[in-house]
């Protein structure tokens, strides 16, 4: 070509595609960049015709893309924080305050400094609920059972007058 060898075009195309991979979301241009760089190496070594260069670029693109797809299917990348972008999932197990009574299964709850639409059993304003899950942007809640006066920590009685208490000095 007029003073510039063909392999430099392929190397430039590969670098441009690699640069675009960093800007454009997705992981597809990386495989095209690798195919362009590999075609540049083939062109540097073998000096094929333009038709062979384009054909090798197309086949290498397909080979790299489908190989990567198969590799990622067989060995998926496991996230260290799978709930990173799942706010509803992250709140599961937390308690919330009912700000708009849950009537006929729908109301609003306050979690932290934000309010969410909630679904669950009827609950009056001011009660605490536990978040059991999420459905889209709605939180699934259930009432929190507060410690009653007859709790298991004091033996199930409210007065403390058990035969064991009478035998203590």
């Amino acid at each position: 070509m007029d003073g510039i060898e063909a392999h430099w075009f392929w190397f430039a195309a590969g670098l441009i595609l690699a640069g675009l991979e960093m800007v454009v979301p997705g992981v597809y241009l990386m495989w095209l960049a690798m195919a362009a760089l590999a075609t540049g190496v083939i062109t540097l070594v073998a000096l094929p015709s333009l038709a062979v260069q384009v054909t090798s670029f197309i086949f290498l693109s397909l080979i790299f893309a489908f190989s990567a797809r198969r590799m990622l299917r067989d060995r998926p990348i496991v996230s260290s924080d799978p709930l990173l972008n799942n706010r509803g999932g992250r709140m599961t197990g937390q308690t919330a305050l009912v700000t708009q009574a849950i009537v006929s299964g729908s109301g609003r709850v306050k979690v932290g400094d934000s309010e969410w639409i909630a679904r669950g059993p009827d609950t009056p304003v001011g009660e605490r609920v536990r978040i059991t899950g999420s459905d889209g942007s709605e939180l699934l809640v259930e009432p929190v059972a507060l410690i009653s006066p007859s709790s298991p920590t004091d033996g199930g009685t409210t007065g403390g007058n058990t035969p064991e208490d009478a035998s203590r000095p």
Side-chain angles (χ1 to χ4, degrees):
M1 296 188 191
D2 300 331
I4 299 177
E5 289 86 15
H7 61 273
W8 288 114
F9 286 112
W10 289 110
F11 290 146
L15 293 176
I16 290 170
L17 287 167
L20 285 174
E21 175 65 36
M22 291 188 262
V23 177
V24 178
V27 186
Y28 187 71
L29 294 177
M30 178 171 48
W31 314 121
L32 296 177
M34 289 173 53
L37 292 172
T39 303
V41 170
I42 291 170
T43 304
L44 178 65
V45 173
L47 299 171
S49 67
L50 181 61
V52 173
Q53 292 175 31
V54 172
T55 305
S56 68
F57 172 72
I58 291 170
F59 283 122
L60 287 171
S61 296
L62 292 172
I63 289 168
F64 285 144
F66 284 111
S67 296
R69 182 177 179 210
R70 183 174 182 179
M71 180 186 71
L72 291 173
R73 183 192 65 213
D74 294 343
R75 285 178 252 132
I77 299 170
V78 180
S79 173
S80 61
D81 189 4
L83 297 176
L84 179 64
N85 292 321
N86 184 354
R87 286 189 70 195
R90 285 192 106 125
M91 288 190 271
T92 300
Q94 293 183 11
T95 59
L97 181 67
V98 177
T99 57
Q100 180 182 351
I102 301 175
V103 179
S104 299
S106 183
R108 293 185 71 82
V109 296
K110 184 171 185 171
V111 182
D113 61 351
S114 60
E115 284 195 17
W116 290 72
I117 298 171
R119 284 194 333 221
D122 292 352
T123 310
V125 174
E127 292 289 319
R128 292 260 175 215
V129 291
R130 180 175 320 318
I131 300 168
T132 59
S134 64
D135 183 19
S137 63
E138 294 182 343
L139 298 177
L140 307 174
V141 297
E142 65 182 14
V144 173
L146 298 176
I147 299 174
S148 64
S150 61
S151 67
T153 58
D154 62 1
T157 62
T158 57
N161 296 329
T162 62
E164 293 84 17
D165 291 334
S167 65
R168 290 187 197 151

